[in-house]
Amino acid sequence: SSELTQDPAVSVALGQTVRITCQGDSLGSYYASWYQQKPGQAPLLVIYGTNKRPSGIPDRFSGSSSGNTASLTITGAQAEDEADYYCNSRDTTGNYYVFGSGTKVTVL
Amino acid sequence: EVQLVESGGGLVQPGGSLRLSCTASRFSFSRHWMNWVRQAPGKGLEWVANIRQDGSEKYYVDSVKGRFTISRDNAKNSLYLQMKSLRAEDTAVYYCARIGDCTGGTCFDAFDMWGQGTMVTVSS
């Protein structure tokens, strides 16, 4: 198995841009996806295939990847974007999945 | 409504057993890999297990191997997780989650649908 590392917390001023990163050996071989989770709710897919948005997800959410690092960017953060964000990918064997440790985003 | 609904959670003593169920509605359940993901109180998400569309392949996180068994019944649109020899560290909300369709021949391995979760508490 392998790990995905995220910063524990970031803050962003309302309307500004924030980038969350996820580092892991498996990201060089497998797609990353990103999930938003608000308190008491199930996770919600916001980015898949490294940079694709599901239907209904605002276009202020975008994804990218370089080498072993995947990133989620929120451009023009809104108050409702305050949440925990988790990255996910397969592990280095390809048989299992692993989630990042999560990043708490605070919108100031 | 397209959804996943978990059930079967509850309070169980250490060493005990519990069986979780997840019922799918209004989508082709048999076309999707299905997963269990858990979240301990105040902690992050942890992938637990998954099962291929026809049940022929199953994978587990190391911490539950030999104790948990994932299964499915496509005729009933249902996913199951049989848990035995439960430990305090298994206490968590357990989510059922679907892997989305492949698109244009590419499979993106994303969990595109989640249930609301069912709480499992292991305590004496």
Side-chain angles (χ1 to χ4, degrees), chain A residues 7 16 18 21-22 29 44 53 57 59 64-66 71 73 76 80 85 91 95-96 98 104-105:
Chain A
D7 290 331
Q16 297 304 301
V18 63
T21 61
C22 173
S29 302
L44 173 70
R53 272 189 319 276
I57 299 302
D59 61 5
S64 62
S65 181
S66 178
S71 300
T73 300
E80 61 264 33
Y85 290 84
D91 79 330
N95 290 327
Y96 310 98
V98 60
K104 182 176 181 60
V105 172

Side-chain angles (χ1 to χ4, degrees), chain B residues 29 46 49 53 63 72 74 121:
Chain B
F29 177 76
E46 180 183 36
Q53 292 92 330
S63 59
R72 66 192 296 163
N74 288 340
T121 303

Side-chain angles (χ1 to χ4, degrees), chain B residues 15-64:
Chain B
S17 299
L18 208 57
R19 187 196 196 206
L20 306 183
S21 299
C22 169
T23 302
S25 301
R26 299 190 180 279
F27 69 91
S28 297
F29 177 76
S30 62
R31 286 176 47 185
H32 295 269
W33 279 82
M34 294 298 298
N35 300 259
W36 289 99
V37 177
R38 67 184 179 183
Q39 187 170 36
K43 303 297 184 182
L45 301 172
E46 180 183 36
W47 174 82
V48 174
N50 68 356
I51 184 168
R52 190 185 177 95
Q53 292 92 330
D54 61 1
S56 62
E57 293 182 49
K58 305 174 184 181
Y59 299 96
Y60 301 90
V61 69
D62 286 347
S63 59
V64 309

Side-chain angles (χ1 to χ4, degrees), chain A residues 1 30-33 35 37 40-45 47-49 52 86 88 90 95-101, chain B residues 35 37 39 43-47 50 59-62 65 95 99 103 106-112 114-117:
Chain A
S1 61
Y30 298 102
Y31 289 110
S33 54
Y35 303 84
Q37 188 180 35
Q41 296 185 15
L44 173 70
L45 177 66
I47 292 289
Y48 70 98
K52 296 169 179 51
Y86 296 91
N88 173 264
R90 289 182 180 266
N95 290 327
Y96 310 98
Y97 289 88
V98 60
F99 284 92
S101 46
Chain B
N35 300 259
V37 177
Q39 187 170 36
K43 303 297 184 182
L45 301 172
E46 180 183 36
W47 174 82
N50 68 356
Y59 299 96
Y60 301 90
V61 69
D62 286 347
K65 284 179 181 176
Y95 294 101
I99 292 290
T103 305
T106 301
C107 301
F108 296 107
D109 294 333
F111 300 87
D112 71 341
W114 296 68
Q116 86 288 350

